[in-house]
Each structure stands twice: as structure tokens, then as C-alpha cells.
Amino acid sequence: MSQPMNTHRYDAAAVTTAYASALEVIAAVEPDVAGAIRQELTDQRESLKLIASENYASPAVLLTMGNWFSDKYAEGTIGHRFYAGCQNVDTVEQLAADHARALFGASHAYAQPHSGIDANLVAFWAILAQRVEAPGLAAAGARHVNDLSEADWEKLRHELGNQRALGMSLDAGGHLTHGFRPNISGKMFHQSSYGTDPETGLLDYDHVRAQAREFKPLVLIAGYSAYPRRINFATMREIADEVGATLMVDMAHFAGLVAGKVFTGDFDPVPHAHVTTTTTHKSLRGPRGGLVLCQPEYADAVDRGCPMVLGGPLSHVMAAKAVALAEARQPAFATYAAAVADNAVTLADGLLRRGTKLVTGGTDNHLVLLDVSSFGLTGRQAESALLDAGIVTNRNAVPRDPNGAWYTSGVRIGTPALTSRGFGPAEFDRVAELIVDVLSATTPSATASGGLSQAKYELADGVAAKTQAAAAELLEKFPLYPGLDLS
Ligand code: PLP
């Protein structure tokens, strides 16, 4: 029997048997872990998950990760491993790469990165290898760094450490790995960042172009974690070409919208970027992991991700990537992706109609960024009050945020997870109503010195319980993994 959960289709009895048996085996060794796994399912079933970077993978994807591929070392590339006996790893890595190339129309795919951060590290080092190291070796008449004289190696090391990257600023929605100090990317590159227009909150391409002309980066990075709009990658490529930069796009957040053909033409990064990176677990709805797609001239360098910055690949996760990418190639995934974007518009409209302020005034991707300063709250207070009421979001800086990156003035709200459960426009409008009800009933607490706390707050009596009940009513209609019964 097939159970509907939007685009997930599975045999509920088989999935129940699989998990019940697995939990029995686990409980025989460490019952507390089995208990935590059961509890996690219950908690996820009972929460209104609006974290823009989270989703629910299919049972097939989840089950593919729990097997003996986990035990196998397979450093190297398909067919060229540093370990014996990798024929089955070759099979699944090849499948993951083939599905990725077909799904995204990419000429090359590398499925080994363990996460989005790792995919970005692979991309940075591949760009440095292709753009700086290879010409440096050629100039010194060497084929490998080990063949360089100490003086030539010193010169090359200096050049490798003196490159520039230009990416979107954190408060405009960029990611830590796009050149920010707490991340290695901000230490390996001289970094500069572009923001958004102070009036509209939108990316100003002329401004990016002017900055690129002046800064002359080796890498121009596009992509985001919290920008609620599409990016014109054809224009970004034009800018990169004009200044001789490599265009790297991190589509970690919106890969599902690219896969589902919501973002096409100028808004599809893959044909325009030299190197595209992604996670596989956000809107793409696969296992936790990363992926690098690139144009042919970067392929050799990208394939050296291991041993450059990666150790042995997680073969069980590469197998699950292959399954998830196969799912994303089905027509049902395009329907899902379109619903993710439509639901975000409904959510944005529902919030705006109820008098709230959204960064950029709306959305055309899978997320909205709600500026909670009009409620007199910090993002931290809003996030906590919503959580008390059973609504899971995360606080996020808004452009030029006066409260900084810790307390923030925003809450990021995404539609991928609840769309996977089957939520549609009516449910997302109700979600908007619940969010506004909770925030309207929340006030910052007073500090001992008579000011307003940035962390503490009071939520009016009864609002949390009332909202939790309303959320439960919504969630009951769209069960998570319907038919999976572990009682
Ligand atoms: N890139 C972007 C744009 C992200 O939003 C994230 C995660 O939030 C990452 C990279 C890092 O992904 P991971 O947590 O898998 O390392």
C-alpha cells in the first residue's frame, strides 16, 4: 500500500517493519539511543517546523544511510581508490554523480563532500588550484608542488595566500563560508562583501559590479542563507567575467528550487557559474551532505577534494544522495518545488496583510525574513516566544541589524519542511496568523536597570497553549510519515 506524503511514496507496512526491527536491534545494545530516536520522530511529528534549512527526507533516503557502506574506506575517485574493494562504492558514487549531472544539467558532479561547508572548501581549493597553483607550477616548469624548488614553493605559497573573495555580507543573507572571519574562508582569502540596497533590501547588481571592479576578486561568490529573493546569475557571471573572477554559486538553500525548475534561465546558477556548490539536505530533501558541480576546466581540481580537504567519503551518504537525486528527477519533485515557492508567497502575503514588515517586502524563493522590530522584540525573543507556542523558526540578522548577529532583529521562516508534509496555501495563511498572534502577545521584559531586555520576554497567559493546540490541529491533518507506526 502506498501512503501519500506529498511527493514521498512508500510502503508504510514495510517502513514500519524496517524501523521497528532496527530499533529493536539498537535497543538491545543502548536502549537510551533507541528511545531518543523514537522521541525525535514524535517531536518532529508534533512541531510546526519552519526552519528554512530543514526538511524531511523520504524513508528510502533515510534507510539507505543505515548500512555497511558506512564501514568502507574509499579515498580517491571512482575507479581510482587508495583502498581495495571499492567496487560497490564506485557504483553508488557514480550513480550520485550521474543523477546530479542529469538533474542539474551539469557537466561534472562531485558527490563526496560531507556537508555544505566541505563542498565550499572543495570549491575554494579547486579554484585556487586551477587559477593559481597550476599556472604557478607551469611558470616554474614543475608538474607537482613536490617538484618545486624551495624558493618557487615559497613564492607559490605567498600567491595562494594572497587571493581575494567577494561575497554577500552576512547581514544581507550571505553565509559564514563566503569569506567571514569565524570561518576558514575568511582567513584563507582577503575578503570583501556586498550588501543590499538600503531602501529596497534587494541586491544591487550595479553596486556589486562597482565593488568587483575595484576589489578585483579571484572568486565572486553568489548565494545565501537568508536572502528571500532570486539572484540573476547571468548578471553575476557577466560581472565575474568583466573582472576576470571565477563565479562560485552556493545554492545550498535553493537547490530544490533549481532541481524542480522553479529557478530557470538567468536564475538557474548551474549554466552560469564556473563552480556550483550545494547541500543535499535542505530544499533538495536528501541526506545531510554536500555536492559540487562544475564546468569541465575545474573538474580535475574538484575531484581532488579528497585528499585536499576531505578524508574518506561517507559512502552510505553518497548512496543516499543517489536515491534522493533519483527522487528529485521525478516529475512529482517539480510539483513539490513549485508548492514550496507558492507557499512562501502565501506565507509572505499572510504576514504582510496582518501588518508585519518583511525584508525586501516579500519573497520569491522558499523563505521569508520577518523583521520583528515592529513588535518591539529582538529576533531572539521572537524565536523563543514562537518556540514556546510550538512554532520552530530561527532568529536571523536583518540588513544593517542594530541588534547584531546574536540577538538580531529578524526571524527566518521557510516552507520546505511543511510543504513536504502537504501543507498548502490555507495552512500557510493560518501559520502566518498564528505567528502574528504570538508575536503580538509578546513583550520584552524589563531589566534591573529599567531598560528592556534583549533576551527575556513575557508571553501573555494562555497564548502558548492556544497556539500549540491550533498547531496540533493543523499538523494532525498532515501527518509526518503517515502509516509509520512504532507504537
Ligand atoms: N552554504 C549555505 C548557503 C548554507 O546556508 C549552509 C548551512 O546552513 C552551508 C553552506 C553549510 O552547510 P552544512 O551545515 O551542511 O555544512
Side-chain angles (χ1 to χ4, degrees):
M1 188 192 46
S2 178
Q3 289 281 346
M5 189 188 109
N6 199 320
T7 55
H8 292 330
R9 293 283 182 277
Y10 53 86
D11 180 329
V15 171
T16 298
T17 306
Y19 278 108
S21 305
L23 286 168
E24 215 177 289
V25 174
I26 296 164
V29 181
E30 176 43 290
D32 290 348
V33 168
I37 294 171
R38 277 176 186 274
Q39 190 57 44
E40 182 62 22
L41 177 62
T42 304
D43 292 354
Q44 292 209 20
R45 278 180 160 163
E46 292 175 0
S47 69
L48 213 50
K49 174 147 97 167
L50 290 159
I51 294 187
S53 49
E54 293 187 6
N55 212 328
Y56 303 108
S58 72
V61 167
L62 297 176
L63 285 166
T64 305
M65 283 186 281
N67 61 67
W68 27 93
F69 266 127
S70 169
D71 296 331
K72 189 76 195 97
Y73 247 108
E75 284 175 19
T77 50
I78 302 163
H80 301 275
R81 306 284 182 185
F82 290 88
Y83 288 79
C86 294
Q87 60 282 359
N88 300 310
V89 179
D90 282 352
T91 301
V92 294
E93 184 172 353
Q94 189 67 59
L95 281 166
D98 288 349
H99 282 308
R101 284 191 297 108
L103 177 65
F104 292 110
S107 62
H108 186 72
Y110 183 63
Q112 292 194 17
H114 308 165
S115 74
I117 281 201
D118 287 358
N120 285 349
L121 267 182
V122 169
F124 287 136
W125 282 108
I127 294 165
L128 285 168
Q130 207 271 351
R131 296 283 310 273
V132 183
E133 187 179 88
L137 291 177
R143 295 190 57 207
H144 190 273
V145 281
N146 292 347
D147 306 329
L148 290 174
S149 70
E150 199 40 51
D152 281 332
W153 171 228
E154 190 56 39
K155 193 167 153 238
L156 181 56
R157 198 159 39 201
H158 179 76
E159 276 180 36
L160 282 165
N162 261 304
Q163 300 301 323
R164 296 185 199 126
L166 176 64
M168 188 180 239
S169 68
L170 268 186
D171 70 345
H175 189 256
L176 273 175
T177 53
H178 299 178
F180 296 95
R181 289 280 155 77
N183 181 260
I184 185 75
S185 60
K187 299 179 171 70
M188 60 194 270
F189 287 111
H190 298 289
Q191 189 268 357
S192 182
S193 50
Y194 53 85
T196 47
D197 182 89
E199 295 298 314
T200 62
L202 297 170
L203 198 52
D204 177 346
Y205 297 96
D206 291 339
H207 204 251
V208 178
R209 189 185 301 273
Q211 270 185 280
R213 279 182 185 153
E214 187 170 337
F215 189 61
K216 297 199 177 22
L218 177 82
V219 195
L220 175 63
I221 307 163
Y224 51 78
S225 300
Y227 179 67
R229 296 288 178 179
R230 328 182 271 188
I231 290 179
N232 187 320
F233 297 110
T235 305
M236 293 303 273
R237 174 61 188 260
E238 244 176 61
I239 297 170
D241 284 348
E242 193 186 319
V243 301
T246 295
L247 177 62
M248 170 178 154
V249 175
D250 177 353
M251 64 170 182
H253 257 263
F254 54 90
L257 300 185
V258 178
K261 311 292 177 236
V262 175
F263 289 175
T264 55
D266 291 353
F267 304 98
D268 175 352
V270 180
H272 302 293
H274 297 94
V275 182
T276 304
T277 60
T278 186
T279 55
T280 45
H281 50 273
K282 304 185 203 276
S283 57
L284 196 51
R285 211 166 61 176
R288 303 198 74 77
L291 196 63
V292 181
L293 309 171
C294 66
Q295 299 196 341
E297 66 272 27
Y298 289 87
D300 284 348
V302 163
D303 279 351
R304 278 183 270 133
C306 165
M308 179 63 94
V309 290
L310 302 174
L314 309 179
S315 306
H316 55 309
V317 181
M318 291 198 297
K321 286 175 193 172
V323 173
L325 291 162
E327 287 177 346
R329 292 182 66 191
Q330 299 299 315
F333 192 85
T335 310
Y336 162 71
V340 166
D342 288 349
N343 284 337
V345 170
T346 303
L347 176 66
D349 289 348
L351 290 167
L352 290 169
R353 215 173 54 247
R354 293 175 175 90
T356 66
K357 187 172 155 207
L358 299 183
V359 173
T360 78
T363 178
D364 37 40
N365 55 21
H366 62 298
L367 67 91
V368 301
L369 189 55
L370 175 61
D371 185 335
V372 294
S373 55
S374 57
F375 291 94
L377 300 171
T378 63
R380 176 147 176 204
Q381 289 162 327
E383 173 195 88
S384 302
L386 289 168
L387 189 62
D388 293 345
I391 302 176
V392 190
T393 61
N394 68 284
R395 67 185 184 279
N396 208 102
V398 301
R400 294 162 283 278
D401 200 313
N403 291 327
W406 180 248
Y407 292 112
T408 81
S409 304
V411 174
R412 188 181 67 163
I413 313 171
T415 55
L418 291 179
T419 304
S420 285
R421 283 181 78 141
F423 275 41
E427 291 75 34
F428 272 101
D429 190 61
R430 179 79 173 122
V431 167
E433 187 182 7
L434 296 178
I435 289 172
V436 175
D437 286 352
V438 172
L439 297 182
S440 307
T442 308
T443 43
S445 303
T447 60
S449 57
L452 289 177
S453 171
Q454 289 189 297
K456 298 207 170 111
Y457 60 94
E458 273 119 51
L459 179 55
D461 280 351
V463 175
K466 195 170 142 226
T467 311
Q468 280 167 14
E473 203 177 301
L474 275 179
L475 291 167
E476 260 164 37
K477 286 194 224 143
F478 299 93
L480 178 60
Y481 304 120
L484 168 57
D485 182 5
L486 298 178
S487 56

